[in-house]
Amino acid sequence: MTEPVRVRRITAADWDAVVALERDAYAPLGLCEGRAALQSRAAVSPGTCFVADVGGRAAGYLLALPYPALTVPDLGRTEPVAVPPGNLHLHDIVVAPALRRRGLARHLLRRLTGAARARGDERISLVAVGGSDRFWSARGFAPHPDVVPTGGYGADAVYMSRPVPAPREVS
Ligand SMILES: CC(C)(COP(=O)(O)OP(=O)(O)OC[C@H]1O[C@@H](n2cnc3c(N)ncnc32)[C@H](O)[C@@H]1OP(=O)(O)O)[C@@H](O)C(=O)NCCC(=O)NCCS
């Protein structure tokens, strides 16, 4: 990848690309949420949702929003309310297939970690789907076997979380 990567907030012009990335990643798993649900999550917390911009195009995205620990958004519903800081839920991250394994997710996660610190969050949570829990374990997330994610995540979904890393820790 020769072009520089710029992680920035999502703009209105990015949504067609974000919706297409989400559809291509999750439709085969039966987990596609669609535009209205995705936009409702970003609307709750625009400061914790980003795209990885490569050559002026959204090559990946990350949506995160404050959410009570040990609970998860319902994939079939739009987002109703904002909740106070404490736990930041990484709802979704996708990188374009042609640009995977080049560090774009790492860029997005680093930005998220900075945002979580700035907000005063203590933990970051997520639901690992499609067998991605090994990827998340390598990023410091631990499973919560007692929390079964309901709301359309599929049988292999794993709720995981980690403390927000200190500034010098690898995130
Ligand atoms: C998961 C995903 C976002 C990773 O994006 P990416 O840009 O390829 O990740 P990076 O290049 O930043 O990789 C970060 C690290 O994870 C490793 N990695 C990336 N994809 C991996 C995979 N599928 N399995 C195991 N390790 C993987 C990389 O080798 C790298 O390791 P390193 O830091 O030791 O070098 C991407 O594969 C994706 O969009 N998948 C489909 C959607 C998805 O499953 N999202 C997560 C749902 S919870």
Side-chain angles (χ1 to χ4, degrees):
M1 191 161 50
T2 51
E3 293 176 281
V5 179
R6 191 162 72 95
V7 175
R8 57 168 176 78
R9 283 199 192 192
I10 300 176
T11 69
D14 293 317
W15 279 106
D16 284 350
V18 169
V19 169
L21 285 166
E22 196 259 355
R23 184 193 56 228
D24 293 350
Y26 296 118
L29 302 174
L31 299 176
C32 184
E33 290 187 271
R35 186 180 297 257
L38 294 171
Q39 288 183 331
S40 77
R41 315 224 192 272
V44 168
S45 185
T48 57
C49 296
F50 310 106
V51 292
D53 178 317
V54 179
R57 294 172 57 187
Y61 71 86
L62 182 159
L63 304 181
L65 68 165
Y67 220 79
L70 313 180
T71 66
V72 300
D74 187 318
L75 291 185
R77 297 211 193 118
T78 54
E79 212 52 66
V81 287
V83 297
N87 186 71
L88 190 58
H89 188 72
L90 198 179
H91 177 66
D92 192 12
I93 179 170
V94 174
V95 168
L99 295 175
R100 285 183 191 165
R101 306 204 86 139
R102 298 179 198 199
L104 288 185
R106 204 174 326 136
H107 279 289
L108 286 162
L109 291 170
R110 213 175 283 139
R111 180 67 178 265
L112 180 71
T113 301
R117 268 191 222 112
R119 285 169 35 83
D121 288 312
E122 288 149 24
R123 295 192 77 82
I124 298 174
S125 61
L126 56 83
V127 179
V129 296
S132 63
D133 47 319
R134 279 190 308 142
F135 172 83
W136 294 113
S137 295
R139 315 256 80 74
F141 286 83
H144 294 246
D146 49 322
V147 180
V148 179
T150 55
Y153 289 87
D156 63 352
V158 182
Y159 185 90
M160 305 178 83
S161 78
R162 68 160 293 164
V164 173
R168 287 195 193 150
E169 270 182 74
V170 177
S171 51

